[in-house]
Amino acid sequence: MPRPALRRSAVAAALLATATLAACTGSDTPEAGPSPAVAQSAAASTATSVVAAAEKALGDTTATGGTARQAAFSGAALRSADAWAKTLGAKSAAQRADAALSTAAVKVLGVSRAGEEPRQILAQASLKKSSAPVLVLLQAAKGSDRFTVAAQTPVLAGATVDALDAATSGSASVGDGSGLALTPDAAVQAFAESVRYPDPKSASGLAADPAAQQLRAAAAAQAKSISGQGTFTSEHTPKGVVGGLRLAGGKGAVVFADLQRVDSIALRNQTKLTPGKDVTLLSGLKQITTEAALTSNETVAMVIPESGQARVVAFSDQLVGATGR
């Protein structure tokens, strides 16, 4: 229903009052912008010190190594770090050199915003030998000032991550993934189904990536190698989204997640297979006669846009356990 007309003098008085009120409130109470959970300088020094401590702890096979890793890593990243240290004796000098991390030029890519938990710092380090970039997600539990490595994984060849908001204002956490083309859980589940063996399931919401291609190829090759003796299967199970931050300019989010892969061998007839040295170091298993299951932690980083396909930008895996008979 239209409002009744007001006398011109009343309208003018109302407009004048409104303008005066706007002028007063606009100057006295400016709208505050977002702030980072950690100041820019503190984020830089924290990232450098935590990455350095984590890299040192990875190679510490002494009695104090486990304590050092507990101080530097958390979650699945801690289990992977312990498994890496335990299997160092099975790795060649070249393998160790390829995996060594440079701690000289750690760069902060983004910081979460104040009030969001857990507090997060996304940093980039690099491999010493190849200079390839490595993404490192640092987190501090609620009520704690101690940051640990919650996820660490090398960037895939040719992959890029768009810029995050400036560390002076902080980047919003990924949260439940609202506004993204896929929720983080859905994207990780799609990846898991796309790399299972046999019968991988194609996912229209995911772009093709070299990590998935290599996983499928490796599983097929393993199955072929024992086809005369038995069967091979590979199952990837999502274990949860670790964290992530929104990209600047509404370009989506970078998300980190953990998966667990179980590679299973079932032999048709009793035989004798010798497992790799790393399997023996982790499990004590020295011979496989009928069946075996090898468990690996997988770390994946994805960029999920607001529209279009999600893409894997970083991936790594680490054998953490084995059973068999």
Side-chain angles (χ1 to χ4, degrees), residues 5-183:
L6 299 176
R7 292 196 305 270
R8 182 176 300 175
S9 59
V11 172
L15 289 175
L16 178 60
T18 301
T20 303
L21 178 62
C24 291
T25 58
S27 60
D28 291 346
T29 56
E31 184 177 348
S35 59
V38 183
Q40 188 173 16
S41 58
S45 61
T46 297
T48 298
S49 61
V50 173
V51 169
E55 179 64 10
K56 182 179 180 180
L58 277 173
D60 189 347
T61 58
T62 68
T64 60
T67 301
R69 288 186 290 277
Q70 286 180 355
F73 295 91
S74 58
L78 173 57
R79 189 183 180 195
S80 293
D82 282 337
W84 170 268
K86 193 171 182 178
T87 57
L88 272 178
K91 294 174 174 60
S92 66
Q95 288 175 317
R96 295 187 192 197
D98 287 342
L101 201 66
S102 171
T103 58
V106 178
K107 176 184 178 183
V108 172
L109 301 180
V111 179
S112 62
R113 289 180 178 168
E116 296 181 343
E117 298 291 348
R119 289 182 295 159
Q120 303 181 86
I121 300 173
L122 177 56
Q124 179 179 300
S126 61
L127 296 175
K128 278 185 180 180
K129 186 175 179 181
S130 66
S131 298
V134 176
L135 295 180
V136 185
L137 182 67
L138 308 178
Q139 290 184 341
K142 188 174 182 179
S144 173
D145 292 326
R146 184 173 68 89
F147 279 85
T148 58
V149 174
Q152 180 172 307
T153 180
V155 176
L156 301 177
T160 58
V161 177
D162 293 314
L164 285 80
D165 288 313
T168 51
S169 61
S171 300
S173 296
V174 66
D176 62 2
S178 58
L180 300 178
L182 290 172
T183 66

Side-chain angles (χ1 to χ4, degrees), residues 2 9 53 63 90 101-102 105 118 154 159 163 218 229-230 243 255 291 296 318-320:
S9 59
L101 201 66
S102 171
Q229 301 164 294
V255 176
E291 62 184 12
S296 298
Q318 171 63 50
L319 181 71
V320 294

Side-chain angles (χ1 to χ4, degrees), residues 157-221:
T160 58
V161 177
D162 293 314
L164 285 80
D165 288 313
T168 51
S169 61
S171 300
S173 296
V174 66
D176 62 2
S178 58
L180 300 178
L182 290 172
T183 66
D185 286 335
V188 176
Q189 182 64 42
F191 175 78
E193 293 176 357
S194 76
V195 291
R196 70 187 178 201
Y197 185 89
D199 304 323
K201 179 181 178 182
S202 61
S204 59
L206 292 181
D209 70 87
Q213 293 169 0
Q214 290 171 15
L215 286 167
R216 288 190 290 265

